[in-house]
């Protein structure tokens, strides 16, 4: 999966941005756990995205 696919542009990216800001909003932007958790969320979404892209390259 590439960054220019329709699924990434209209599903993965908006969900990632919304999740990031939702975590920030719930943490009131002043608490350290919300910064840490929002960054962890982005890392996990990135790993899932790259893992899914890598599955498409396997020769099964």
């Amino acid at each position: 999966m590439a960054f220019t696919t329709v699924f990434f542009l209209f599903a993965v990216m908006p969900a990632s941005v919304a999740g990031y800001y939702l975590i920030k909003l719930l943490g009131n932007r002043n608490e350290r756990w919300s910064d840490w958790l929002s960054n962890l969320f982005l890392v996990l979404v990135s790993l899932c995205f790259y893992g899914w892209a890598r599955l498409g390259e396997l020769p099964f």
Side-chain angles (χ1 to χ4, degrees), residues 34-51:
S34 68
D35 292 337
W36 184 84
L37 192 60
S38 60
N39 289 335
L40 178 65
F41 174 76
L42 287 181
V43 168
L44 292 175
V45 167
S46 298
L47 288 174
C48 290
F49 174 74
Y50 287 119

Side-chain angles (χ1 to χ4, degrees), residues 5-57:
T5 60
V6 174
F7 181 71
F8 176 78
L9 290 174
F10 294 109
V12 176
M13 191 173 66
S16 301
V17 173
Y20 176 82
Y21 283 111
L22 182 65
I23 293 170
K24 288 284 210 183
L25 183 68
L26 293 175
N28 291 331
R29 295 187 184 179
N30 294 329
E31 298 178 20
R32 285 203 179 264
W33 68 267
S34 68
D35 292 337
W36 184 84
L37 192 60
S38 60
N39 289 335
L40 178 65
F41 174 76
L42 287 181
V43 168
L44 292 175
V45 167
S46 298
L47 288 174
C48 290
F49 174 74
Y50 287 119
W52 187 358
R54 181 72 179 150
L55 282 176
E57 297 175 4

